[in-house]
Amino acid sequence: MQKIIAQAKDFVRDENGITALEYGLLAGLITVLLIASMKIIGTGLQTVFQDVASAV
C-alpha cells in the first residue's frame, strides 16, 4: 500500500505533463491569433484591390 501512495505522490509532483500541456495551449493560442490576423489583413487587402480595380 505504501508503494502505491509513494507512486501517487511522485505522479503529483511530476511536472512534465504540465509543461507539455502549457506548450499545447500556447501553440493553440498562437494559431488562433495568426488565423484572426490573416483574416483581418485579407479583408483589408481585398478592399484595396477592389479600389484599385475600380480606379482602373
Side-chain angles (χ1 to χ4, degrees):
M1 185 70 175
Q2 290 179 351
K3 184 177 181 182
I4 294 173
I5 293 172
Q7 287 177 343
K9 287 180 182 179
D10 288 341
F11 179 75
V12 170
R13 285 190 218 125
D14 186 19
E15 294 184 4
N16 290 331
I18 294 173
T19 303
L21 178 65
E22 290 170 351
Y23 282 129
L25 289 173
L26 186 60
L29 178 62
I30 290 171
T31 302
V32 168
L33 291 175
L34 285 174
I35 291 171
S37 64
M38 287 180 193
K39 187 169 184 170
I40 291 169
I41 290 171
T43 304
L45 283 177
Q46 183 178 7
T47 304
V48 169
F49 283 123
Q50 285 177 352
D51 290 345
V52 170
S54 298
V56 171

